[in-house]
Amino acid sequence: MAIKSVGIIGSGIMGAGIAEVTAKAGYEVVLRSRQQASADAMVAKLEKSLAKQVEKGRLEEAERDAVLARVSATDELSALKDSDLVIESVVEDLAIKKGLFAELDGIVKDGAILATNTSTLSVVDLAVETQRPDRVCGVHFFNPAPAMALVEVVRPLTASDETIAEALAFATECGKSPVEVKDRAGFIVNALLFPYLNNAVRMLENGTASAEDIDSAMKGGCGFPMGPLALLDLVGLDTSLSILEALYAEFGDPNYVPMPVLRRMVTAGQLGRKSGQGFFSY
Ligand SMILES: NC(=O)c1ccc[n+]([C@@H]2O[C@H](COP(=O)([O-])OP(=O)(O)OC[C@H]3O[C@@H](n4cnc5c(N)ncnc54)[C@H](O)[C@@H]3O)[C@@H](O)[C@H]2O)c1
């Protein structure tokens, strides 16, 4: 089935980024958030981002108008019924995602792909909540979605070859360089990245160096574009905590045990950039 229309669920950091990527790639996009105001705020964010691109001469005004004309915002899941592909990008919580997949399965037309943008959770757990486990896969974008080239297409045991091929083609059509990966916690990138990020928190916690110096060292010494603590702030500390918990639950590797300070910061509402305070202030 050719993908023409894409439904996106979740109005957080990732939902908004994926909306921009898919609308610019020429798909009809329906953005769904639990509140109409949040869905409208995603469109406003998209308008602002496109306006900046026009200002910088990277986008024609006519193209901006065409992109915006392809996007609609709703608080109703039923508005996704005709989508060819739905990308779920809500909070990293298995119970919430499972409930959503079960509900979506009864709403979205037969044959459509139901995909998750989860960073670490088991995709097959979502697939078996539906009557179409062969049409469920992971389509994992990176943050910020408009800027990052990678999409991990995650293949649960239940997915058909056609589903994976269509998801890979969709990611390519979005201008990304997809890779295919088995359904294992953290897939490729987060399984390798999070022990490093967690150990940076360990280093901060045991007083080896300041947050500024840890980040500065990894930028200057390894050529990384951003330090590990700033990266955790960008991802969101609540999302990072969930990622580490899922990795530890699956592999039992002590490197994945979230550092106590990370848990305390999440409890305190210090979630990184999105709350204005994390390892750094914003
Ligand atoms: N932040 C990142 O760097 C990043 C990168 C790739 C993938 N992801 C994944 O994308 C997904 C979303 O992450 P995010 O960073 O956009 O999170 P976020 O915290 O910015 O947004 C979470 C969204 O989930 C919604 N939500 C919360 N509880 C809900 C519920 N009970 N039912 C429905 N919606 C609910 C919120 O309203 C919000 O729109 C997660 O699965 C995360 O692992 C995140």
Side-chain angles (χ1 to χ4, degrees):
M1 188 175 70
I3 295 170
K4 292 195 181 70
S5 59
V6 180
I8 296 168
I9 307 178
S11 54
I13 306 170
M14 291 308 293
I18 298 168
E20 178 170 336
V21 170
T22 44
K24 280 185 82 177
Y27 296 99
E28 296 292 325
V29 176
V30 182
L31 307 177
R32 188 272 181 180
S33 185
R34 284 173 300 169
Q35 274 114 32
Q36 185 65 43
S38 326
D40 292 340
M42 280 171 89
V43 177
K45 212 166 166 185
L46 174 62
E47 278 170 356
K48 205 168 149 192
S49 169
L50 296 179
K52 235 187 231 164
Q53 293 165 43
V54 170
E55 218 176 272
K56 289 185 177 158
R58 290 201 217 119
L59 190 71
E60 298 289 327
E61 282 189 20
E63 179 55 13
R64 174 201 57 198
D65 296 344
V67 170
L68 289 171
R70 285 194 285 269
V71 176
S72 62
T74 179
D75 58 356
E76 300 283 347
L77 269 186
S78 59
L80 305 182
K81 64 179 176 13
D82 295 324
S83 298
D84 302 311
L85 164 68
V86 174
I87 303 174
E88 166 281 309
S89 189
V90 306
V91 64
E92 188 76 339
D93 179 308
L94 188 60
I96 291 173
K97 288 186 193 283
K98 275 180 160 185
L100 198 50
F101 269 71
E103 202 179 344
L104 276 174
D105 189 43
I107 291 173
V108 183
K109 68 181 176 189
D110 286 347
I113 298 179
L114 304 181
T116 176
N117 184 44
T118 180
S119 301
T120 28
L121 298 172
S122 153
V123 180
V124 77
D125 276 31
L126 305 179
V128 298
E129 290 295 316
T130 74
Q131 302 302 313
R132 61 179 102 188
D134 58 316
R135 297 298 276 165
V136 174
C137 66
V139 174
H140 182 213
F141 284 85
F142 287 77
N143 183 13
M148 302 299 277
L150 181 65
V151 169
E152 289 177 328
V153 171
V154 184
R155 181 193 279 266
L157 286 172
T158 43
S160 69
D161 290 345
E162 292 73 27
T163 299
I164 300 304
E166 286 167 40
L168 288 165
F170 163 75
T172 305
E173 201 61 38
C174 286
K176 304 300 182 191
S177 307
V179 295
E180 185 185 323
V181 55
K182 276 188 192 167
D183 181 22
R184 295 287 181 279
F187 316 125
I188 298 171
V189 173
N190 287 332
L192 292 174
L193 177 65
F194 269 82
Y196 156 65
L197 298 183
N198 200 32
N199 277 313
V201 181
R202 189 194 312 276
M203 195 173 261
L204 178 70
E205 200 164 32
N206 69 24
T208 303
S210 67
E212 287 77 9
D213 284 352
I214 290 170
D215 273 24
S216 175
M218 294 313 291
K219 285 192 284 183
C222 294
F224 290 171
M226 100 195 287
L229 300 170
L231 181 52
L232 282 161
D233 280 352
L234 176 74
V235 171
L237 301 193
D238 50 345
T239 302
S240 298
L241 178 61
S242 301
I243 289 172
L244 283 163
E245 283 173 341
L247 285 163
Y248 184 67
E250 181 127 311
F251 299 115
D253 178 337
N255 269 310
Y256 292 130
V257 177
M259 285 295 104
V261 69
L262 187 61
R263 203 179 288 286
R264 299 297 185 281
M265 289 171 80
V266 172
T267 304
Q270 297 178 7
L271 306 181
R273 277 187 197 218
K274 64 185 163 187
S275 74
Q277 181 64 47
F279 292 105
F280 301 100
S281 297
Y282 300 90

